Amino acid sequence: MPECWDGRSQEQRLPRVSSTVSPLQEHDIETPYGLLHVVIRGSPKGNRPAILTYHDVGLNHKLCFNTFFNFEDMQEITKHFVVCHVDAPGQQVGASQFPQGYQFPSMEQLAAMLPSVVQHFGFKYVIGIGVGAGAYVLAKFALIFPDLVEGLVLVNIDPNGKGWIDWAATKLSGLTSTLPDTVLSHLFSQEELVNNTELVQSYRQQIGNVVNQANLQLFWNMYNSRRDLDINRPGTVPNAKTLRCPVMLVVGDNAPAEDGVVECNSKLDPTTTTFLKMADSGGLPQVTQPGKLTEAFKYFLQGMGYMPSASMTRLARSRTASLTSASSVDGSRPQACTHSESSEGLGQVNHTMEVSC
């Protein structure tokens, strides 16, 4: 049997895909900065938040999240929450090319489009899962609209804007490489590009064929012109801005975004932040290690007071005492996570956890 990606056989490596995935509903939502393509999986569950996802540049919700949300163990989570996948403008499958002169929304404007989605479906608040550029957008969304965000899972987030040297290097790379190859160097480490040939080749082909290249170029340019995410650890500077909800930062131990995620962790409140460094994982942990990420996400939700009766796997059992909240779920928003609570109250829910798994 052929070897692939990480040395395991194809049969050993393939994620367990559920045969009971909820049907999808596609919507185009009008926002102040144009239409957003949104895909809904499942139906709202009482007053519980929606899980809202935002993909990385070069991808869309399918390429970024299908492996993760179709993973068998993830169904134990999604049966409790409605899932809302957001595609950045023009990045969805089959998107028409934007007309000449179209101004792609800034990263701040992308964040400002999301309240229209929340209001359209009547969500009271969301738990966001973002990857790369999508993680930056969701973090910005939580800074601008904190009352709409219950928690965040930020994979491969880079809180820093591009300096002139980085900008010049990106421009030079764009002159010497194709757009898919340029994006691949953002998604994968050099080691992965050399060794994970099957995975990389699959994404090279899909990025080139599934995502409209002109639209992708606009998103790529806007992401690379982003400004620093304006956050600081409370108490380090006067009137410091920070994310007020529980946050789980995720990065693979072989990911190009590792330095950015470490720096983001240093800028967040340690009483509400979990930092998860995933062993044997590269730039797309939700694709290559969906089981580990599902386990960590379940644990994160339990720490917020959701799903206390869900089955707990090895990782969660070994760390229950350090993070999991004792609060029960009655279909309403957990009191420990309301934005009006003090930082001491939040500290009872989420403590700093730096782990490799």
Side-chain angles (χ1 to χ4, degrees):
M1 188 169 291
E3 298 285 308
C4 68
W5 301 6
D6 57 3
R8 289 177 291 171
S9 69
Q10 179 80 5
E11 182 178 358
Q12 289 173 318
R13 195 208 57 76
L14 286 176
R16 301 190 307 277
V17 178
S18 172
S19 59
T20 59
V21 176
S22 301
L24 306 178
Q25 306 166 31
E26 299 193 38
H27 303 263
D28 288 314
I29 308 300
E30 187 71 51
T31 81
Y33 302 101
L35 289 176
L36 269 184
H37 182 259
V38 175
V39 174
I40 297 292
R41 171 181 288 180
S43 57
K45 306 297 191 293
N47 290 325
R48 290 191 179 187
I51 295 174
L52 185 145
T53 75
Y54 212 112
H55 58 86
D56 202 353
V57 65
L59 309 176
N60 50 44
H61 84 272
K62 290 186 175 181
L63 296 179
C64 194
F65 291 112
N66 262 12
T67 299
F68 181 48
F69 278 89
N70 290 343
F71 187 68
E72 183 179 23
D73 292 351
M74 188 65 179
Q75 308 316 303
E76 184 178 9
I77 295 175
T78 55
K79 69 183 181 182
H80 295 286
F81 300 90
V82 61
V83 179
C84 177
H85 294 298
V86 176
D87 286 318
Q91 310 304 302
Q92 70 270 25
V93 176
S96 300
Q97 184 170 319
F98 290 125
Q100 188 73 23
Y102 171 80
Q103 180 60 48
F104 196 87
S106 68
M107 302 303 287
E108 291 76 11
Q109 290 170 336
L110 291 175
M113 298 170 85
L114 295 178
S116 298
V117 175
V118 174
Q119 293 162 10
H120 179 88
F121 294 106
F123 303 146
K124 292 187 176 181
Y125 27 81
V126 302
I127 296 171
I129 305 178
V131 179
Y136 182 99
V137 170
L138 289 183
K140 182 67 73 171
F141 172 52
L143 287 171
I144 303 172
F145 306 98
D147 291 336
L148 296 180
V149 182
E150 182 78 30
L152 288 174
V153 177
L154 304 176
V155 183
N156 297 338
I157 186 170
D158 187 346
N160 301 313
K162 287 277 190 179
W164 282 107
I165 295 177
D166 293 328
W167 180 85
T170 300
K171 281 291 186 182
L172 181 61
S173 175
L175 295 175
T176 58
S177 305
T178 65
L179 181 58
D181 283 331
T182 301
V183 171
L184 285 172
S185 67
H186 161 75
L187 298 175
F188 298 103
S189 68
Q190 286 302 311
E191 182 178 339
E192 287 180 291
L193 292 174
V194 172
N195 296 328
N196 273 355
T197 54
E198 183 178 341
L199 175 65
V200 172
Q201 184 58 33
S202 172
Y203 270 84
R204 176 183 287 110
Q205 183 177 18
Q206 293 183 87
I207 291 168
N209 296 335
V210 174
V211 184
N212 182 285
Q213 297 298 284
N215 296 354
L216 170 55
Q217 185 71 66
L218 294 175
F219 189 16
W220 176 249
N221 292 344
M222 190 56 69
Y223 178 62
N224 284 304
S225 65
R226 70 190 182 279
R227 296 178 291 183
D228 288 352
L229 197 61
D230 186 17
I231 54 174
N232 288 284
R233 179 164 288 185
T236 58
V237 299
N239 302 315
K241 294 181 181 178
T242 191
L243 298 172
R244 292 164 49 187
C245 61
V247 178
M248 181 167 72
L249 300 175
V250 180
V251 69
D253 64 353
N254 183 30
E258 182 179 356
D259 290 344
V261 178
V262 169
E263 182 168 350
C264 188
N265 183 57
S266 73
K267 294 183 174 183
L268 294 178
D269 186 341
T271 66
T272 59
T273 303
T274 299
F275 179 31
L276 183 64
K277 186 176 179 181
M278 297 182 65
D280 302 319
S281 182
L284 295 178
Q286 77 281 9
V287 174
T288 58
Q289 297 282 4
K292 288 183 179 180
L293 187 55
T294 297
E295 189 174 351
F297 184 44
K298 184 190 301 181
Y299 186 33
F300 180 68
L301 291 171
Q302 289 173 329
M304 294 172 63
Y306 294 108
M307 301 177 58
S309 61
S311 62
M312 298 181 69
T313 47
R314 175 189 54 78
L315 171 66
R317 284 196 304 269
S318 67
R319 297 177 173 87
T320 300
S322 68
L323 189 62
T324 302
S325 168
S327 57
S328 61
V329 174
D330 58 3
S332 60
R333 192 180 196 185
Q335 287 298 312
C337 297
T338 56
H339 298 294
S340 61
E341 291 289 319
S342 66
S343 60
E344 290 80 10
L346 285 170
Q348 295 170 7
V349 179
N350 271 15
H351 302 290
T352 302
M353 179 181 71
E354 288 192 46
V355 298
S356 294
C357 65

